[in-house]
Amino acid sequence: MSMQGPKTRELFRKAKQYIPHGVNSNFRYWGDEDTVVVQRGKGTYIWDMDGKRYIDYRLAFGPIILGHAYPAVNQRVKEAMDNGTLFAWTTPLEISVAERICRMTGVDKVRLTNTGSEATFHALRIARAYTGREKFIKFEGQYHGMVDYFMFGTASSSEKHLGARTDPRTAAMSLGIPEGIGDYVLNLPFNDFEILEETLEKQGEQIAAIFVEPILGNAAGILPKPGFLEKIRELCDKYGIVLVFDEVKTGFRIANGGAQEYFGIRADLVTFAKSLGNGFPIAAIGGREEVMMTIQPGKMAHGGTYSGNVVGVAAADATLEILENEPVIETISARGTALMEGIDEILTEQGIPHVVTGVPSMLSILLGMEDEPHEFRDYIKGDGDLYEAIALELIARGVMPDSDGREPWFLCYALSEDDVAYTLDAFNEAVKAAKR
Ligand code: PMP
């Protein structure tokens, strides 16, 4: 059963002629028969080249917080771009967006970038410059972008790549990454208080930063154990380490103030992208005054030709205004809670061991296990094949989560109660079909 109708298939063949594997990001390649070519999106729906409609729960891996082609956002972008798109000077829209981000998330200062990866690699540079140290800690199964330094022990790692649980040194996740870079990266299991404390007892004075996705947005939405983020905060203070919340997925999605608000913990630096611009390319690094002011012309570099470009910034200005003035997160959370409860009920009725985890605006389903997962190695133990089979049956029925269970289901403001009901009916049928 291919996911491609005749027009989609024909265009994908052409895509492969000119674009390696027919996609502009490896994560989008689902194989020659199952990679989709999209014609358009509107609200919570997308349509492929054959006119087949899907309720979209991938939402481009998270950015679409309001809905595809959201009128108020597109309108602000159209108006803004008629007055020029790029000046290499500060514009009033940039100031407006920076002010909104500071107000909504509690950071003191913010610099804009275009992608999550740009935000995270600049955050790493700031942390190193601020502390004068070079090593950093990240956690297994966390993804911080297409940056050589971060591509160790990501959610794309197999158990073989990860190595021993107690060994923070892991293999690079891609060809082309110098092995020596691994000397700077310590990969620890998430939610393990003891290993974190022991590591810092030995090397705390050498660590510039601890990077953490507060919820594992690239590994099935695994949640922090109560007290774990607090422990990281406490240890960062003790050893003079910069705490970086990578909120590329959680920012402006789990709360207007992101994970800092949701968990009540302040980081020193925070990276945002995705939901900040409802699908337009914009990202940000925010943080405490003292840490952000490490950025110094002539001393510590941050820059980019397109940083603060009018198109991305106009989109962010409109998106943040809507987030502040309408019950976006509340509405999404209500829909997500209904989905989580419905999915839990269906899987229980059908006798499939499972855990529904994450939060309502980015939820995940783990199969073949009954205990809440606490780290990436728990995810690996689940039944990814059954998950994929159910996802493909869902897609055939016009409901599109990612087929990879590591990727949460993302919800947008445009998702209606009827869409949720449709999804649950389809889920029930998909589970039965996958079991057969
Ligand atoms: N950090 C996290 C937590 C992410 O999920 C991602 C992208 N999925 C990135 C960083 C990188 O963002 P981008 O793809 O915009 O470079």
Side-chain angles (χ1 to χ4, degrees):
M1 177 176 69
S2 162
M3 277 168 49
Q4 296 168 337
K7 286 190 184 142
T8 300
R9 183 170 305 121
E10 190 189 315
L11 256 184
F12 186 64
R13 217 171 275 149
K14 187 167 177 188
K16 284 208 310 172
Q17 199 180 330
Y18 300 106
I19 306 169
H21 308 285
V23 290
N24 276 307
S25 174
N26 282 2
F27 301 120
R28 300 174 197 164
Y29 180 68
W30 285 20
D32 285 353
E33 305 284 307
D34 289 322
T35 300
V36 175
V37 181
V38 171
Q39 186 181 80
R40 69 188 184 98
K42 184 72 194 162
T44 200
Y45 307 118
I46 58 172
W47 286 264
D48 71 10
M49 296 311 298
D50 294 279
K52 183 169 163 67
R53 191 193 82 170
Y54 302 92
I55 301 179
D56 185 12
Y57 288 103
R58 292 169 76 245
L59 296 177
F61 296 133
I64 312 297
I65 185 74
L66 300 173
H68 290 286
Y70 204 77
V73 177
N74 285 5
Q75 188 56 34
R76 178 121 1 136
V77 172
K78 285 175 195 164
E79 281 163 14
M81 71 193 219
D82 278 346
N83 287 313
T85 53
L86 204 60
F87 310 109
W89 291 115
T90 299
T91 63
L93 269 177
E94 287 172 79
I95 304 168
S96 172
V97 167
E99 186 183 10
R100 287 184 195 281
I101 293 174
C102 289
R103 182 170 62 233
M104 291 169 77
T105 70
V107 298
D108 298 325
K109 282 205 156 58
V110 59
R111 272 279 174 101
L112 300 178
T113 66
N114 303 290
T115 68
S117 301
E118 268 182 86
T120 55
F121 80 67
H122 278 108
L124 179 58
R125 184 180 300 148
I126 295 169
R128 283 172 158 161
Y130 179 75
T131 57
R133 304 170 182 173
E134 296 188 339
K135 290 186 181 180
F136 70 97
I137 288 175
K138 66 178 281 299
F139 296 95
E140 289 175 354
Q142 305 219 334
Y143 177 68
H144 303 294
M146 280 287 160
V147 180
D148 284 0
Y149 278 116
F150 295 125
M151 294 184 69
F152 293 84
T154 68
S156 306
S157 305
S158 64
E159 228 158 351
K160 183 183 83 203
H161 277 113
L162 287 173
R165 195 171 170 282
T166 48
D167 181 2
R169 170 110 206 182
T170 56
M173 281 322 307
S174 167
L175 296 175
I177 295 177
E179 223 179 278
I181 284 185
D183 292 345
Y184 297 102
V185 191
L186 279 70
N187 247 301
L188 308 185
F190 191 57
N191 275 326
D192 191 318
F193 292 67
E194 231 172 89
I195 289 184
L196 179 64
E197 285 199 283
E198 279 168 13
T199 306
L200 289 176
E201 266 164 36
K202 287 190 205 128
Q203 308 193 52
E205 313 288 331
Q206 298 168 48
I207 306 294
I210 297 184
F211 270 76
V212 61
E213 279 184 84
I215 295 177
L216 269 66
N218 293 279
I222 293 171
L223 297 166
K225 277 188 189 167
F228 188 65
L229 296 175
E230 287 83 349
K231 177 54 81 180
I232 297 179
R233 177 69 273 176
E234 177 196 318
L235 292 169
C236 282
D237 290 339
K238 180 171 173 188
Y239 292 101
I241 296 167
V242 175
L243 171 53
V244 186
F245 271 12
D246 182 355
E247 295 227 47
V248 164
K249 277 192 168 163
T250 52
F252 307 104
R253 172 164 284 284
I254 68 171
N256 275 355
Q260 292 193 105
E261 177 187 324
Y262 191 89
F263 294 110
I265 295 169
R266 300 229 69 85
D268 300 307
L269 288 176
V270 191
T271 52
F272 299 109
K274 307 222 178 206
S275 297
L276 172 57
N278 194 48
F280 285 86
I282 178 159
I285 314 152
R288 279 203 293 124
E289 173 86 21
E290 191 192 341
V291 182
M292 284 300 289
M293 289 310 287
T294 311
I295 299 173
Q296 282 279 345
K299 280 195 184 152
M300 204 239 96
H302 163 257
T305 304
Y306 295 97
S307 293
N309 75 81
V310 168
V311 167
V313 170
D317 198 50
T319 303
L320 296 184
E321 187 178 321
I322 294 164
L323 279 167
E324 271 197 300
N325 292 310
E326 295 184 35
V328 176
I329 309 284
E330 293 90 319
T331 305
I332 292 176
S333 292
R335 307 273 187 272
T337 302
L339 261 183
M340 289 171 95
E341 287 170 2
I343 288 168
D344 181 46
E345 219 169 90
I346 291 165
L347 290 169
T348 304
E349 265 169 26
Q350 308 236 15
I352 297 177
H354 65 277
V355 180
V356 183
T357 187
V359 293
S361 60
M362 47 185 274
L363 62 96
S364 285
I365 305 155
L366 289 102
L367 303 178
M369 60 169 76
E370 271 164 346
D371 297 326
E372 185 77 26
H374 295 304
E375 59 172 288
F376 181 56
R377 287 167 198 263
D378 293 339
Y379 167 81
I380 296 176
K381 288 181 212 136
D383 191 343
D385 291 341
L386 178 59
Y387 182 87
E388 184 180 340
I390 293 172
L392 293 178
E393 292 291 348
L394 270 173
I395 291 168
R397 289 166 176 78
V399 173
M400 188 184 272
D402 208 82
S403 65
D404 186 325
R406 286 171 289 203
E407 196 59 31
W409 291 43
F410 291 101
L411 277 60
C412 68
Y413 191 33
L415 184 79
S416 69
E417 283 179 353
D418 285 348
D419 295 320
V420 170
Y422 183 94
T423 301
L424 288 174
D425 283 343
F427 193 85
N428 197 22
E429 293 306 313
V431 173
K432 282 186 205 156
K435 273 167 63 176
R436 282 197 296 272

